[in-house]
Amino acid sequence: MDLGAFSISLTVRDIHASQDFYAKLGFTPLGGDIDQNWLILKNGDCTIGLFQGMFERNMLTFNPGWDGSAGELDSFTDVRELQRKLRESGIDVGDDIVEPDAGPASFTIQDPDGNPILFDQHR
C-alpha cells in the first residue's frame, strides 16, 4: 500500500527556537510559513513538520500525491482509497471523507498505543 511521502509532525512550544535547533542538525526549510506557526524542514530523506498551537500531540504524517520533497507525483493512491483499504483491513478510520471524489482531503487514525497518524492529501 503506497501511503505517500512520510514525515513526522512535531507539536512545538516555540517555533523559532525549534527551527534554530533543527537547523543545527542540518535541517533546512522546505515549505510552510513560520509567521503562521508551521514550517516543514528537510535534511536528506528526513522531513520534519514543526507546528505551534495546531495539534495536541506529535504525529506521523503521510502525504499521498507527493514525493519526499513535496513534488507532485503523476500517479498515487487517493486518500479516499487509502481510507477504504484501511477500513477493510479492520482499522478504525472514523467517518468517511465527505469532500468531493478527488482533490484535497485528510483523515486520522491511531495506532494501538494511541499515537495519531495523519493522511493528508493536498492535491
Side-chain angles (χ1 to χ4, degrees):
M1 183 178 320
D2 181 11
L3 303 177
F6 174 76
S7 63
I8 183 93
S9 296
L10 300 176
T11 299
V12 301
R13 290 185 299 257
D14 180 335
I15 196 162
H16 295 280
S18 294
Q19 179 188 18
D20 290 344
F21 174 82
Y22 284 102
K24 292 173 184 171
L25 296 177
F27 284 86
T28 58
L30 174 67
D33 186 339
I34 199 164
D35 293 327
Q36 294 179 0
N37 292 328
W38 71 284
L39 194 61
I40 308 302
L41 305 175
K42 187 92 171 153
N43 181 344
D45 292 335
C46 300
T47 305
I48 297 173
L50 305 177
F51 298 90
Q52 181 179 324
M54 294 184 176
F55 305 116
E56 291 181 29
R57 298 180 64 183
N58 297 333
M59 71 179 111
L60 305 177
T61 302
F62 294 96
N63 298 112
W66 280 1
D67 65 19
S69 295
E72 293 186 1
L73 298 173
D74 292 332
S75 176
F76 64 96
T77 304
D78 187 86
V79 70
R80 294 152 196 82
E81 178 67 12
L82 290 172
Q83 186 183 46
R84 185 188 65 73
K85 287 180 179 181
L86 293 171
R87 177 179 287 117
E88 288 175 356
S89 72
I91 294 175
D92 180 5
V93 297
D95 295 332
D96 284 339
I97 296 171
V98 295
E99 285 86 2
D101 292 339
S106 64
F107 70 96
T108 304
I109 62 174
Q110 290 188 359
D111 75 7
D113 295 300
N115 297 304
I117 303 170
L118 173 64
F119 297 84
D120 193 17
Q121 182 173 305
H122 296 276
R123 52 179 291 235

